């Protein structure tokens, strides 16, 4: 991970998802081993994304709130996709009931 600030969340399968302010994503197992590193370019997040939060959405997938939009992880396509209804404008935080 780079020296910029990171946001983190755990998924139910015991993985730690980390994303830097610039959109670099890294997934680690419970022991801290790197399972995957997804460069900011090509992971579906906006170029030069300024990430405010990562957390689990209502579907249980990692969601990322940022300066440009709200995105969710699509395991099938292996990238983040825009959440319908949150295509434009900054999203600084979200919560799930």
């Amino acid at each position: 991970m780079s020296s910029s600030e990171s946001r983190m969340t755990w998924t139910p399968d015991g993985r730690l998802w980390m994303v830097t302010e610039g959109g670099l994503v890294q997934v680690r197992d419970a022991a801290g081993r790197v399972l995957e590193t997804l460069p900011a370019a090509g992971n579906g997040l906006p170029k030069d994304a300024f990430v405010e939060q990562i957390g689990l959405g209502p579907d249980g997938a990692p969601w990322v709130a940022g300066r440009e939009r709200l995105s969710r992880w699509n395991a099938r396509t292996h990238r983040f996709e825009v959440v319908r209804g949150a295509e434009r404008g900054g999203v600084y935080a979200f919560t799930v009931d």
Side-chain angles (χ1 to χ4, degrees):
M1 297 294 289
S2 74
S3 61
S4 72
E5 207 172 299
S6 297
R7 313 304 193 236
M8 298 176 235
T9 194
W10 289 97
T11 55
D13 62 2
R15 294 179 179 198
L16 178 65
W17 285 68
M18 299 182 293
V19 61
T20 66
E21 292 173 333
L24 172 71
V25 176
Q26 195 170 79
V27 183
R28 294 179 179 235
D29 66 16
R33 289 183 293 268
V34 175
L35 301 174
E36 190 162 18
T37 299
L38 304 164
N43 67 16
L45 294 175
K47 181 179 170 47
D48 298 324
F50 188 88
V51 174
E52 298 285 350
Q53 176 188 359
I54 184 171
L56 298 183
D59 58 358
W63 285 31
V64 173
R67 175 172 50 199
E68 296 183 28
R69 65 186 188 212
L70 181 64
S71 302
R72 67 173 293 280
W73 179 251
N74 183 327
R76 188 176 46 80
T77 62
H78 207 71
R79 22 182 321 107
F80 284 92
E81 298 177 345
V82 178
V83 173
R84 186 177 297 159
E87 293 90 355
R88 296 192 179 171
V91 177
Y92 302 102
F94 64 92
T95 188
V96 177
D97 284 338

